[in-house]
Amino acid sequence: MTQPELELYRPGVTDDDVRRLTIWLNANGWQTRQQLSGALCWSERKIRDVAESMGSAIVRGQRGFKLTSELRREDLSTAAQAADAALSQGKRMIRYGLALKRQLHAQIS
């Protein structure tokens, strides 16, 4: 008998969640986590999970969240900064992962 997966380890993002966030952002433009949390009655964690599940269809940056399809010319530098930040974070995570692997390998050897 398999154990049920704990909700703690599963974002539980549904198509309806994505639809709700898409509709809200389409109508309201840039929104911060705080604004979305108040409007959608979601935790910041839920907002992050839903936005992450949407991939590049949504910009997640310093200014907040906005649908990529709704970006205007004046939004492009903000979206580019969000892309640069994601790449930078990814590089830091890779460096950490490799360093940890080296450390673990040294302890095993």
Side-chain angles (χ1 to χ4, degrees):
M1 185 164 149
T2 61
Q3 293 212 336
E5 192 172 339
L6 296 176
E7 194 65 33
L8 176 66
Y9 300 107
R10 183 178 53 180
V13 175
T14 67
D15 290 341
D16 187 54
D17 294 333
V18 172
R19 199 171 13 264
R20 283 185 67 201
L21 181 56
T22 300
I23 290 168
W24 185 261
L25 290 176
N26 194 40
N28 295 285
W30 286 106
Q31 294 282 287
T32 65
R33 275 196 191 120
Q34 185 177 13
Q35 289 170 318
L36 289 172
S37 183
L40 301 174
C41 298
W42 288 351
S43 68
E44 289 192 9
R45 175 66 165 202
K46 171 103 177 177
I47 294 163
R48 187 170 46 247
D49 288 344
V50 175
E52 187 174 302
S53 78
M54 293 174 68
S56 63
I58 189 171
V59 177
R60 307 182 314 258
Q62 291 291 339
R63 192 167 167 198
F65 301 85
K66 186 169 184 173
L67 297 174
T68 306
S69 62
E70 297 299 313
L71 292 174
R72 296 175 182 217
R73 179 172 289 284
E74 60 267 18
D75 297 322
L76 295 180
S77 65
T78 302
Q81 285 174 338
D84 289 342
L87 290 170
S88 179
Q89 180 180 5
K91 289 175 185 176
R92 284 192 309 273
M93 292 173 75
I94 289 169
R95 283 193 298 271
Y96 165 73
L98 291 172
L100 182 57
K101 287 278 196 177
R102 283 191 296 275
Q103 181 71 29
L104 293 172
H105 180 72
Q107 289 180 349
I108 293 170
S109 299

